[in-house]
Amino acid sequence: MLEKYSHIIWDWNGTILNDLELFVEITNQQLSEAKLPILTLEEYRESFSHPVDEFYQRLGFDLTRQPFGGIGADFSRRYADLRHGVGIQADAKQVLDEVLSRGKTQSVLSAHEQGMLDYMIRHHGLADHFSEVCGLSDFQASSKIQLGLNWLAARSHKRESLVIIGDTDHDYEVAKALGIDCILVSHGLQSHVRLKRLGVSVIEGLGELL
């Protein structure tokens, strides 16, 4: 599936890092403390979306009384405490190794905060696989479209040589804004059914890329 591309742009959370269950666990902690209904894993995958503040609003949080800035920072603190308990997705290391062996380059484009993103990539021994790692400057998990546009504008890549691989409809939105191809994997934060509705290639696991 990757033959025609010279550079692969990866999403991180849910795509390479297998942290779906941690996302659900922390979100349910916050819901429980706010006396709101908690989510099953499948309910989470059917409802999660960007921008994340709107997702929390749909879950029942009153963001006029409790601004999302505080909720996002709280989520990140809890995530930092528990992050060492998660691993990378099955076949992720094999795929990243194989992409490099084929002479292609790779980068990460993520809505994760930059410092935490850098730390987790180093923690899993993957820093040498990526030419660049691009995250956000805060913990709000907002849109990464502008981040992607800035990245593309500063480089000489031809659009037809690029592909984004992610696990949410937001990755599709980013690819569309950049005018490049998109492949989505359904082992992450959104369900296979939701992703198939977008009309792009959807795989169930990273091994299918090879």
Side-chain angles (χ1 to χ4, degrees):
M1 297 182 75
L2 302 178
E3 290 80 6
K4 69 176 182 175
Y5 306 112
S6 62
H7 185 86
I8 316 301
I9 304 170
W10 292 93
D11 172 58
W12 177 248
N13 300 99
T15 302
I16 295 177
L17 190 66
N18 185 12
D19 55 357
L20 166 63
E21 291 187 2
L22 181 55
F23 269 62
V24 177
E25 177 184 347
I26 296 173
T27 302
N28 278 338
Q29 289 174 1
Q30 294 179 309
L31 286 167
S32 180
E33 290 166 12
K35 296 181 170 52
L36 293 168
I38 64 171
L39 301 169
T40 65
L41 186 142
E42 286 309 315
E43 286 171 340
Y44 184 96
R45 280 163 44 88
E46 290 301 327
S47 58
F48 176 79
S49 63
H50 284 84
V52 180
D53 58 344
E54 294 181 8
F55 166 60
Y56 269 76
Q57 199 161 26
R58 290 197 309 277
L59 293 179
F61 286 87
D62 183 353
L63 301 187
T64 60
R65 297 181 58 188
Q66 186 180 12
F68 184 70
I71 296 173
D74 175 67
F75 184 101
S76 295
R77 284 192 295 270
R78 298 178 195 232
Y79 187 98
D81 288 341
L82 300 169
R83 60 189 170 178
H84 296 105
V86 299
I88 60 174
Q89 298 282 7
D91 298 323
K93 180 65 162 53
Q94 177 189 353
V95 172
L96 294 170
D97 287 345
E98 180 65 22
V99 170
L100 285 184
S101 74
R102 295 182 185 183
K104 303 176 188 293
T105 54
Q106 307 177 94
S107 59
V108 171
L109 181 68
S110 173
H112 218 53
E113 188 272 331
Q114 183 73 54
M116 191 176 292
L117 178 64
D118 289 337
Y119 174 84
M120 289 301 288
I121 290 174
R122 290 194 305 270
H123 175 72
H124 289 285
L126 298 176
D128 291 344
H129 289 73
F130 306 114
S131 58
E132 294 171 275
V133 174
C134 303
L136 297 180
S137 60
D138 55 38
F139 296 98
Q140 305 309 302
S142 54
S143 171
K144 55 185 180 182
I145 289 176
Q146 192 59 52
L147 188 65
L149 290 171
N150 293 344
W151 179 89
L152 184 62
R155 281 147 194 88
S156 58
H157 293 294
K158 294 181 179 179
R159 283 176 166 79
E160 60 269 23
S161 72
L162 300 171
V163 63
I164 285 180
I165 300 176
D167 68 319
T168 70
D169 51 11
H170 186 53
D171 295 300
Y172 166 72
E173 293 167 351
V174 175
K176 199 172 177 182
L178 271 58
I180 66 177
D181 287 350
C182 179
I183 299 171
L184 298 175
V185 58
S186 62
H187 60 201
L189 302 182
Q190 291 183 343
S191 71
H192 192 90
V193 172
R194 286 183 71 187
L195 298 179
K196 285 294 287 185
R197 295 188 194 123
L198 300 172
V200 296
S201 296
V202 180
I203 57 178
E204 294 185 357
L206 296 179
E208 294 179 43
L209 292 169
L210 305 181

PDB file of all heavy atoms in Angstrom, residues 79-108:
ATOM      1  N   TYR A  79      -2.716  11.164  32.399  1.00  0.00           N
ATOM      2  CA  TYR A  79      -2.074  10.391  31.339  1.00  0.00           C
ATOM      3  C   TYR A  79      -0.587  10.210  31.643  1.00  0.00           C
ATOM      4  O   TYR A  79      -0.042   9.113  31.504  1.00  0.00           O
ATOM      5  CB  TYR A  79      -2.274  11.104  29.995  1.00  0.00           C
ATOM      6  CG  TYR A  79      -1.790  10.313  28.804  1.00  0.00           C
ATOM      7  CD1 TYR A  79      -2.683   9.571  28.031  1.00  0.00           C
ATOM      8  CD2 TYR A  79      -0.449  10.319  28.430  1.00  0.00           C
ATOM      9  CE1 TYR A  79      -2.237   8.844  26.934  1.00  0.00           C
ATOM     10  CE2 TYR A  79       0.005   9.598  27.344  1.00  0.00           C
ATOM     11  CZ  TYR A  79      -0.896   8.863  26.591  1.00  0.00           C
ATOM     12  OH  TYR A  79      -0.452   8.139  25.510  1.00  0.00           O
ATOM     13  N   ALA A  80       0.065  11.288  32.065  1.00  0.00           N
ATOM     14  CA  ALA A  80       1.497  11.213  32.371  1.00  0.00           C
ATOM     15  C   ALA A  80       1.773  10.217  33.490  1.00  0.00           C
ATOM     16  O   ALA A  80       2.793   9.518  33.482  1.00  0.00           O
ATOM     17  CB  ALA A  80       2.024  12.597  32.747  1.00  0.00           C
ATOM     18  N   ASP A  81       0.861  10.116  34.461  1.00  0.00           N
ATOM     19  CA  ASP A  81       1.044   9.189  35.579  1.00  0.00           C
ATOM     20  C   ASP A  81       0.925   7.732  35.141  1.00  0.00           C
ATOM     21  O   ASP A  81       1.519   6.840  35.761  1.00  0.00           O
ATOM     22  CB  ASP A  81       0.004   9.463  36.669  1.00  0.00           C
ATOM     23  CG  ASP A  81       0.271  10.756  37.423  1.00  0.00           C
ATOM     24  OD1 ASP A  81       1.418  11.249  37.363  1.00  0.00           O
ATOM     25  OD2 ASP A  81      -0.666  11.283  38.048  1.00  0.00           O
ATOM     26  N   LEU A  82       0.143   7.473  34.079  1.00  0.00           N
ATOM     27  CA  LEU A  82      -0.183   6.103  33.689  1.00  0.00           C
ATOM     28  C   LEU A  82       0.428   5.669  32.361  1.00  0.00           C
ATOM     29  O   LEU A  82       0.287   4.509  31.975  1.00  0.00           O
ATOM     30  CB  LEU A  82      -1.719   5.948  33.605  1.00  0.00           C
ATOM     31  CG  LEU A  82      -2.489   6.211  34.896  1.00  0.00           C
ATOM     32  CD1 LEU A  82      -3.988   6.282  34.615  1.00  0.00           C
ATOM     33  CD2 LEU A  82      -2.198   5.137  35.923  1.00  0.00           C
ATOM     34  N   ARG A  83       1.120   6.568  31.680  1.00  0.00           N
ATOM     35  CA  ARG A  83       1.541   6.317  30.299  1.00  0.00           C
ATOM     36  C   ARG A  83       2.513   5.158  30.141  1.00  0.00           C
ATOM     37  O   ARG A  83       2.586   4.544  29.073  1.00  0.00           O
ATOM     38  CB  ARG A  83       2.177   7.585  29.721  1.00  0.00           C
ATOM     39  CG  ARG A  83       3.389   8.061  30.494  1.00  0.00           C
ATOM     40  CD  ARG A  83       3.861   9.429  30.027  1.00  0.00           C
ATOM     41  NE  ARG A  83       4.877   9.967  30.935  1.00  0.00           N
ATOM     42  CZ  ARG A  83       5.487  11.127  30.743  1.00  0.00           C
ATOM     43  NH1 ARG A  83       5.194  11.866  29.697  1.00  0.00           N
ATOM     44  NH2 ARG A  83       6.394  11.547  31.611  1.00  0.00           N
ATOM     45  N   HIS A  84       3.272   4.831  31.197  1.00  0.00           N
ATOM     46  CA  HIS A  84       4.254   3.763  31.050  1.00  0.00           C
ATOM     47  C   HIS A  84       3.612   2.381  30.989  1.00  0.00           C
ATOM     48  O   HIS A  84       4.293   1.396  30.697  1.00  0.00           O
ATOM     49  CB  HIS A  84       5.284   3.829  32.180  1.00  0.00           C
ATOM     50  CG  HIS A  84       6.091   5.089  32.147  1.00  0.00           C
ATOM     51  ND1 HIS A  84       5.880   6.117  33.034  1.00  0.00           N
ATOM     52  CD2 HIS A  84       7.088   5.493  31.320  1.00  0.00           C
ATOM     53  CE1 HIS A  84       6.719   7.095  32.758  1.00  0.00           C
ATOM     54  NE2 HIS A  84       7.457   6.750  31.733  1.00  0.00           N
ATOM     55  N   GLY A  85       2.323   2.326  31.236  1.00  0.00           N
ATOM     56  CA  GLY A  85       1.632   1.042  31.170  1.00  0.00           C
ATOM     57  C   GLY A  85       1.136   0.678  29.785  1.00  0.00           C
ATOM     58  O   GLY A  85       0.537  -0.389  29.620  1.00  0.00           O
ATOM     59  N   VAL A  86       1.361   1.531  28.787  1.00  0.00           N
ATOM     60  CA  VAL A  86       0.875   1.231  27.444  1.00  0.00           C
ATOM     61  C   VAL A  86       2.047   0.927  26.512  1.00  0.00           C
ATOM     62  O   VAL A  86       3.156   1.439  26.692  1.00  0.00           O
ATOM     63  CB  VAL A  86       0.030   2.389  26.866  1.00  0.00           C
ATOM     64  CG1 VAL A  86      -1.188   2.643  27.732  1.00  0.00           C
ATOM     65  CG2 VAL A  86       0.848   3.665  26.730  1.00  0.00           C
ATOM     66  N   GLY A  87       1.780   0.085  25.536  1.00  0.00           N
ATOM     67  CA  GLY A  87       2.796  -0.268  24.552  1.00  0.00           C
ATOM     68  C   GLY A  87       2.404   0.215  23.170  1.00  0.00           C
ATOM     69  O   GLY A  87       1.382   0.884  22.994  1.00  0.00           O
ATOM     70  N   ILE A  88       3.210  -0.150  22.192  1.00  0.00           N
ATOM     71  CA  ILE A  88       2.874   0.222  20.821  1.00  0.00           C
ATOM     72  C   ILE A  88       2.006  -0.860  20.200  1.00  0.00           C
ATOM     73  O   ILE A  88       1.922  -1.984  20.698  1.00  0.00           O
ATOM     74  CB  ILE A  88       4.136   0.479  19.975  1.00  0.00           C
ATOM     75  CG1 ILE A  88       5.031  -0.762  19.907  1.00  0.00           C
ATOM     76  CG2 ILE A  88       4.904   1.673  20.534  1.00  0.00           C
ATOM     77  CD1 ILE A  88       6.217  -0.604  18.962  1.00  0.00           C
ATOM     78  N   GLN A  89       1.345  -0.521  19.109  1.00  0.00           N
ATOM     79  CA  GLN A  89       0.443  -1.443  18.438  1.00  0.00           C
ATOM     80  C   GLN A  89       1.200  -2.637  17.850  1.00  0.00           C
ATOM     81  O   GLN A  89       2.379  -2.551  17.509  1.00  0.00           O
ATOM     82  CB  GLN A  89      -0.294  -0.718  17.301  1.00  0.00           C
ATOM     83  CG  GLN A  89      -1.168   0.435  17.743  1.00  0.00           C
ATOM     84  CD  GLN A  89      -2.496  -0.015  18.339  1.00  0.00           C
ATOM     85  OE1 GLN A  89      -2.749  -1.205  18.548  1.00  0.00           O
ATOM     86  NE2 GLN A  89      -3.365   0.945  18.612  1.00  0.00           N
ATOM     87  N   ALA A  90       0.485  -3.753  17.729  1.00  0.00           N
ATOM     88  CA  ALA A  90       1.059  -4.933  17.092  1.00  0.00           C
ATOM     89  C   ALA A  90       1.541  -4.571  15.689  1.00  0.00           C
ATOM     90  O   ALA A  90       0.856  -3.852  14.955  1.00  0.00           O
ATOM     91  CB  ALA A  90       0.008  -6.045  17.019  1.00  0.00           C
ATOM     92  N   ASP A  91       2.697  -5.037  15.332  1.00  0.00           N
ATOM     93  CA  ASP A  91       3.316  -4.834  14.015  1.00  0.00           C
ATOM     94  C   ASP A  91       3.863  -3.427  13.800  1.00  0.00           C
ATOM     95  O   ASP A  91       4.447  -3.154  12.739  1.00  0.00           O
ATOM     96  CB  ASP A  91       2.354  -5.162  12.867  1.00  0.00           C
ATOM     97  CG  ASP A  91       1.906  -6.613  12.867  1.00  0.00           C
ATOM     98  OD1 ASP A  91       2.747  -7.473  13.196  1.00  0.00           O
ATOM     99  OD2 ASP A  91       0.745  -6.884  12.538  1.00  0.00           O
ATOM    100  N   ALA A  92       3.687  -2.513  14.772  1.00  0.00           N
ATOM    101  CA  ALA A  92       4.134  -1.132  14.552  1.00  0.00           C
ATOM    102  C   ALA A  92       5.633  -1.061  14.311  1.00  0.00           C
ATOM    103  O   ALA A  92       6.093  -0.431  13.347  1.00  0.00           O
ATOM    104  CB  ALA A  92       3.744  -0.253  15.739  1.00  0.00           C
ATOM    105  N   LYS A  93       6.427  -1.709  15.154  1.00  0.00           N
ATOM    106  CA  LYS A  93       7.880  -1.652  15.000  1.00  0.00           C
ATOM    107  C   LYS A  93       8.312  -2.295  13.679  1.00  0.00           C
ATOM    108  O   LYS A  93       9.184  -1.767  12.973  1.00  0.00           O
ATOM    109  CB  LYS A  93       8.539  -2.382  16.173  1.00  0.00           C
ATOM    110  CG  LYS A  93      10.066  -2.400  16.154  1.00  0.00           C
ATOM    111  CD  LYS A  93      10.684  -1.033  16.311  1.00  0.00           C
ATOM    112  CE  LYS A  93      12.150  -1.088  16.713  1.00  0.00           C
ATOM    113  NZ  LYS A  93      12.992  -1.942  15.839  1.00  0.00           N
ATOM    114  N   GLN A  94       7.704  -3.414  13.332  1.00  0.00           N
ATOM    115  CA  GLN A  94       8.041  -4.084  12.086  1.00  0.00           C
ATOM    116  C   GLN A  94       7.760  -3.185  10.883  1.00  0.00           C
ATOM    117  O   GLN A  94       8.569  -3.087   9.958  1.00  0.00           O
ATOM    118  CB  GLN A  94       7.253  -5.384  11.952  1.00  0.00           C
ATOM    119  CG  GLN A  94       7.494  -6.126  10.639  1.00  0.00           C
ATOM    120  CD  GLN A  94       6.540  -7.292  10.445  1.00  0.00           C
ATOM    121  OE1 GLN A  94       5.774  -7.637  11.332  1.00  0.00           O
ATOM    122  NE2 GLN A  94       6.585  -7.896   9.263  1.00  0.00           N
ATOM    123  N   VAL A  95       6.610  -2.524  10.897  1.00  0.00           N
ATOM    124  CA  VAL A  95       6.234  -1.651   9.780  1.00  0.00           C
ATOM    125  C   VAL A  95       7.164  -0.453   9.690  1.00  0.00           C
ATOM    126  O   VAL A  95       7.637  -0.089   8.606  1.00  0.00           O
ATOM    127  CB  VAL A  95       4.771  -1.203   9.915  1.00  0.00           C
ATOM    128  CG1 VAL A  95       4.431  -0.139   8.871  1.00  0.00           C
ATOM    129  CG2 VAL A  95       3.830  -2.389   9.772  1.00  0.00           C
ATOM    130  N   LEU A  96       7.458   0.180  10.829  1.00  0.00           N
ATOM    131  CA  LEU A  96       8.361   1.332  10.828  1.00  0.00           C
ATOM    132  C   LEU A  96       9.752   0.939  10.338  1.00  0.00           C
ATOM    133  O   LEU A  96      10.387   1.680   9.571  1.00  0.00           O
ATOM    134  CB  LEU A  96       8.442   1.933  12.230  1.00  0.00           C
ATOM    135  CG  LEU A  96       7.156   2.575  12.762  1.00  0.00           C
ATOM    136  CD1 LEU A  96       7.309   2.915  14.237  1.00  0.00           C
ATOM    137  CD2 LEU A  96       6.792   3.811  11.969  1.00  0.00           C
ATOM    138  N   ASP A  97      10.224  -0.225  10.762  1.00  0.00           N
ATOM    139  CA  ASP A  97      11.519  -0.719  10.293  1.00  0.00           C
ATOM    140  C   ASP A  97      11.503  -0.961   8.784  1.00  0.00           C
ATOM    141  O   ASP A  97      12.438  -0.594   8.066  1.00  0.00           O
ATOM    142  CB  ASP A  97      11.884  -2.034  10.995  1.00  0.00           C
ATOM    143  CG  ASP A  97      12.297  -1.842  12.442  1.00  0.00           C
ATOM    144  OD1 ASP A  97      12.586  -0.697  12.841  1.00  0.00           O
ATOM    145  OD2 ASP A  97      12.326  -2.855  13.180  1.00  0.00           O
ATOM    146  N   GLU A  98      10.433  -1.575   8.309  1.00  0.00           N
ATOM    147  CA  GLU A  98      10.338  -1.916   6.894  1.00  0.00           C
ATOM    148  C   GLU A  98      10.270  -0.663   6.023  1.00  0.00           C
ATOM    149  O   GLU A  98      10.883  -0.614   4.958  1.00  0.00           O
ATOM    150  CB  GLU A  98       9.101  -2.785   6.656  1.00  0.00           C
ATOM    151  CG  GLU A  98       8.882  -3.216   5.220  1.00  0.00           C
ATOM    152  CD  GLU A  98       9.974  -4.134   4.695  1.00  0.00           C
ATOM    153  OE1 GLU A  98      10.670  -4.775   5.502  1.00  0.00           O
ATOM    154  OE2 GLU A  98      10.130  -4.205   3.456  1.00  0.00           O
ATOM    155  N   VAL A  99       9.533   0.347   6.478  1.00  0.00           N
ATOM    156  CA  VAL A  99       9.451   1.603   5.724  1.00  0.00           C
ATOM    157  C   VAL A  99      10.842   2.203   5.556  1.00  0.00           C
ATOM    158  O   VAL A  99      11.221   2.649   4.468  1.00  0.00           O
ATOM    159  CB  VAL A  99       8.499   2.593   6.421  1.00  0.00           C
ATOM    160  CG1 VAL A  99       8.599   3.982   5.798  1.00  0.00           C
ATOM    161  CG2 VAL A  99       7.059   2.100   6.328  1.00  0.00           C
ATOM    162  N   LEU A 100      11.613   2.217   6.632  1.00  0.00           N
ATOM    163  CA  LEU A 100      12.974   2.749   6.550  1.00  0.00           C
ATOM    164  C   LEU A 100      13.844   1.912   5.620  1.00  0.00           C
ATOM    165  O   LEU A 100      14.648   2.455   4.843  1.00  0.00           O
ATOM    166  CB  LEU A 100      13.603   2.795   7.941  1.00  0.00           C
ATOM    167  CG  LEU A 100      13.137   3.896   8.893  1.00  0.00           C
ATOM    168  CD1 LEU A 100      13.946   3.833  10.178  1.00  0.00           C
ATOM    169  CD2 LEU A 100      13.261   5.270   8.268  1.00  0.00           C
ATOM    170  N   SER A 101      13.689   0.605   5.682  1.00  0.00           N
ATOM    171  CA  SER A 101      14.525  -0.273   4.857  1.00  0.00           C
ATOM    172  C   SER A 101      14.238  -0.074   3.373  1.00  0.00           C
ATOM    173  O   SER A 101      15.084  -0.384   2.527  1.00  0.00           O
ATOM    174  CB  SER A 101      14.302  -1.740   5.240  1.00  0.00           C
ATOM    175  OG  SER A 101      13.058  -2.218   4.758  1.00  0.00           O
ATOM    176  N   ARG A 102      13.058   0.430   3.059  1.00  0.00           N
ATOM    177  CA  ARG A 102      12.707   0.706   1.664  1.00  0.00           C
ATOM    178  C   ARG A 102      13.169   2.085   1.209  1.00  0.00           C
ATOM    179  O   ARG A 102      12.853   2.522   0.112  1.00  0.00           O
ATOM    180  CB  ARG A 102      11.199   0.577   1.480  1.00  0.00           C
ATOM    181  CG  ARG A 102      10.660  -0.829   1.708  1.00  0.00           C
ATOM    182  CD  ARG A 102       9.161  -0.907   1.472  1.00  0.00           C
ATOM    183  NE  ARG A 102       8.624  -2.227   1.794  1.00  0.00           N
ATOM    184  CZ  ARG A 102       7.338  -2.567   1.622  1.00  0.00           C
ATOM    185  NH1 ARG A 102       6.490  -1.690   1.128  1.00  0.00           N
ATOM    186  NH2 ARG A 102       6.928  -3.779   1.935  1.00  0.00           N
ATOM    187  N   GLY A 103      13.902   2.790   2.064  1.00  0.00           N
ATOM    188  CA  GLY A 103      14.449   4.085   1.693  1.00  0.00           C
ATOM    189  C   GLY A 103      13.486   5.241   1.801  1.00  0.00           C
ATOM    190  O   GLY A 103      13.745   6.334   1.282  1.00  0.00           O
ATOM    191  N   LYS A 104      12.384   5.043   2.497  1.00  0.00           N
ATOM    192  CA  LYS A 104      11.406   6.106   2.693  1.00  0.00           C
ATOM    193  C   LYS A 104      11.693   6.842   4.002  1.00  0.00           C
ATOM    194  O   LYS A 104      12.332   6.301   4.897  1.00  0.00           O
ATOM    195  CB  LYS A 104       9.987   5.529   2.719  1.00  0.00           C
ATOM    196  CG  LYS A 104       9.611   4.735   1.472  1.00  0.00           C
ATOM    197  CD  LYS A 104       8.235   4.116   1.621  1.00  0.00           C
ATOM    198  CE  LYS A 104       7.924   3.162   0.474  1.00  0.00           C
ATOM    199  NZ  LYS A 104       7.790   3.872  -0.814  1.00  0.00           N
ATOM    200  N   THR A 105      11.208   8.070   4.110  1.00  0.00           N
ATOM    201  CA  THR A 105      11.331   8.817   5.361  1.00  0.00           C
ATOM    202  C   THR A 105       9.977   8.872   6.046  1.00  0.00           C
ATOM    203  O   THR A 105       8.932   8.655   5.425  1.00  0.00           O
ATOM    204  CB  THR A 105      11.864  10.240   5.105  1.00  0.00           C
ATOM    205  OG1 THR A 105      11.026  10.883   4.119  1.00  0.00           O
ATOM    206  CG2 THR A 105      13.298  10.192   4.613  1.00  0.00           C
ATOM    207  N   GLN A 106      10.006   9.176   7.359  1.00  0.00           N
ATOM    208  CA  GLN A 106       8.788   9.165   8.168  1.00  0.00           C
ATOM    209  C   GLN A 106       8.806  10.322   9.160  1.00  0.00           C
ATOM    210  O   GLN A 106       9.869  10.702   9.652  1.00  0.00           O
ATOM    211  CB  GLN A 106       8.680   7.851   8.953  1.00  0.00           C
ATOM    212  CG  GLN A 106       8.799   6.602   8.108  1.00  0.00           C
ATOM    213  CD  GLN A 106       8.767   5.330   8.933  1.00  0.00           C
ATOM    214  OE1 GLN A 106       7.715   4.731   9.117  1.00  0.00           O
ATOM    215  NE2 GLN A 106       9.919   4.910   9.431  1.00  0.00           N
ATOM    216  N   SER A 107       7.626  10.841   9.464  1.00  0.00           N
ATOM    217  CA  SER A 107       7.503  11.853  10.505  1.00  0.00           C
ATOM    218  C   SER A 107       6.238  11.580  11.301  1.00  0.00           C
ATOM    219  O   SER A 107       5.413  10.752  10.913  1.00  0.00           O
ATOM    220  CB  SER A 107       7.467  13.266   9.906  1.00  0.00           C
ATOM    221  OG  SER A 107       6.378  13.401   9.015  1.00  0.00           O
ATOM    222  N   VAL A 108       6.107  12.269  12.422  1.00  0.00           N
ATOM    223  CA  VAL A 108       4.909  12.174  13.255  1.00  0.00           C
ATOM    224  C   VAL A 108       4.233  13.536  13.294  1.00  0.00           C
ATOM    225  O   VAL A 108       4.885  14.566  13.499  1.00  0.00           O
ATOM    226  CB  VAL A 108       5.256  11.726  14.693  1.00  0.00           C
ATOM    227  CG1 VAL A 108       4.037  11.842  15.609  1.00  0.00           C
ATOM    228  CG2 VAL A 108       5.776  10.293  14.689  1.00  0.00           C
TER     229      VAL A 108
END
